[in-house]
Amino acid sequence: MYTLRRWWDRNWLQLTLVGTALTAAWIAKQTQGAAIFELYQMVSRPFQSNPPKTEILADAKSLELQARLEETQSQNRKLQELLGYVSAQKSKGIVAPVVGRSADRWWQQITVGRGSAAGIKQGYIVTSTGGLVGRVIGVTKNTSQVLLISDASSRVGVSISRSRYMGVMRGQSGNRAVIQFFERVPDVRKGDVVATSSVSQFPSGVPVGRVESVNLSQSPAPEAEIVLSAPTSYLEWVVVYPSDR
């Protein structure tokens, strides 16, 4: 018994330190270090230079106002471009915002925020900066549903502006479309401008796009791939016209 007491008197400090270390390690493992982190935060808080809450809120408000200003300026630029486009047209159109577009039908349809109350009717054509966008297929009092020319079911009579050769354009669910020509050997080349034709359900002469490639050996009729000139992928504003303008 005396020997055990002497041993304890010599080693109690080391045993206490080892026990404390093991206990701390076990607690850290069980709490994933949360207790140690809290202790560190408590000890170091007087030495930290965090900005006051009012300053943080002021910075957040400033960032919000800056973002709103930039968005407003961007919208104003787009509207100015569109109004310039409208004033250059032969007849007056109805400017309408795009208010709906489904992610799974992005290239097929859009909903615009003007309807029968603004004078829009089914069959009206829809354009934007760059040219033809689509046609109205459904109307409510305050909205209109638009079938885009990029839809795979869309068909538009078009012609090559340079040579006047005609064909039917079908959408490709993207910013490109394909023309199938009526003639066996059409005069068409890369870079040619494409517009609606006189035999189209749309008014003739509305810009559609530009020829990207030509395949004269395609069966049953020669074809050309075109890039649509209107920004169909990111429409925000459009102009709606009567189909007989």
Side-chain angles (χ1 to χ4, degrees), residues 6 33 36 45 69 73 76 103 106 116 121 144 146 156 170 173 176 185 187 193-194 196 210 227 229 231 235-236:
R6 290 187 59 189
I36 296 176
R45 188 170 291 118
L69 177 61
Q73 291 174 339
N76 284 339
W106 190 261
S116 58
K121 298 179 181 180
S144 299
V146 178
V156 182
R170 64 179 186 273
S173 296
R176 283 173 165 75
V185 187
D187 181 6
V193 174
V194 180
T196 53
R210 189 175 295 272
V227 177
S229 53
L235 293 170
E236 295 185 0

Side-chain angles (χ1 to χ4, degrees), residues 121-200:
K121 298 179 181 180
Q122 187 169 331
Y124 275 28
I125 71 167
V126 182
T127 67
S128 184
T129 304
L132 186 64
V133 168
R135 61 184 176 86
V136 176
I137 59 173
V139 181
T140 67
K141 182 179 180 180
N142 296 310
T143 63
S144 299
Q145 199 73 20
V146 178
L147 177 69
L148 299 175
I149 59 174
S150 54
D151 185 284
S153 67
S154 176
R155 299 292 185 271
V156 182
V158 296
S159 66
I160 304 299
S161 297
R162 177 184 57 83
S163 63
R164 311 311 300 168
Y165 277 78
M166 296 183 183
V168 175
M169 184 188 78
R170 64 179 186 273
Q172 293 286 87
S173 296
N175 68 337
R176 283 173 165 75
V178 171
I179 302 173
Q180 190 172 62
F181 291 96
F182 300 140
E183 294 83 359
R184 293 298 304 171
V185 187
D187 181 6
V188 56
R189 64 181 70 142
K190 182 177 180 179
D192 279 343
V193 174
V194 180
T196 53
S197 71
S198 57
V199 295
S200 172

Side-chain angles (χ1 to χ4, degrees), residues 81-93 241 245:
E81 291 175 2
L82 195 61
L83 291 174
Y85 169 78
V86 173
S87 64
Q89 305 305 305
K90 296 179 181 178
S91 59
K92 186 177 180 181
Y241 292 96
R245 68 179 181 132

